[in-house]
Amino acid sequence: MSNSVIHAFFLGRAAAQAINRQLEDALTNALSELGKFDAEQRERLRQFTEQVIENANRDAGAEADSTRSNTASNTASNKGKTGSKPADLQAMIDELRAEIASLRTELKNYRKQS
């Protein structure tokens, strides 16, 4: 009888070790998959952020180009006028100040969103 008790003990111990190894492998695999998923999500977020910033910079550049062309056309049309140059100059300065204020506001809003 003592032989069967010893045999049962070793059988139980071997089963516990086998179960322990399988649990360890399953946990290791699960943590590995979680790490891979986390790394993939971080990479996707980084790419998305870069794309958004690139689009914002492109849009801001296009807006700045259109503002420059409008200012240049206003300046060209004001140069062609004679007579009230000081008023035209003051009007142009006022328009530029308004544009600068508008751009500052847009920049503040962009910084708040970032």
Side-chain angles (χ1 to χ4, degrees):
M1 183 157 204
S2 104
N3 216 5
S4 64
V5 172
I6 292 174
H7 182 68
F9 169 76
F10 284 116
L11 184 64
R13 188 170 108 182
Q17 288 175 343
I19 291 171
N20 194 14
R21 268 187 255 128
Q22 286 186 355
L23 285 174
E24 185 178 306
D25 289 344
L27 181 63
T28 302
N29 289 338
L31 291 175
S32 175
E33 290 298 319
L34 182 63
K36 287 179 187 177
F37 177 75
D38 182 50
E40 289 172 359
Q41 293 305 313
R42 286 177 187 261
E43 179 63 22
R44 286 183 185 149
L45 180 63
R46 185 189 63 76
Q47 289 174 353
F48 176 75
T49 304
E50 284 179 0
Q51 183 182 19
V52 168
I53 290 172
E54 182 181 311
N55 289 343
N57 289 339
R58 185 179 57 236
D59 292 345
E63 182 68 27
D65 289 344
S66 72
T67 302
R68 278 190 223 122
S69 67
N70 287 342
T71 304
S73 66
N74 287 343
T75 304
S77 66
N78 287 340
K79 285 183 180 178
K81 295 179 183 177
T82 57
S84 61
K85 280 191 177 181
D88 290 339
L89 182 60
Q90 186 62 44
M92 187 172 77
I93 290 171
D94 291 342
E95 287 176 16
L96 290 173
R97 286 182 179 160
E99 286 179 21
I100 290 171
S102 173
L103 289 173
R104 283 183 179 166
T105 303
E106 291 296 322
L107 186 60
K108 284 180 185 177
N109 289 339
Y110 176 74
R111 287 179 180 164
K112 286 180 183 177
Q113 291 175 354
S114 296

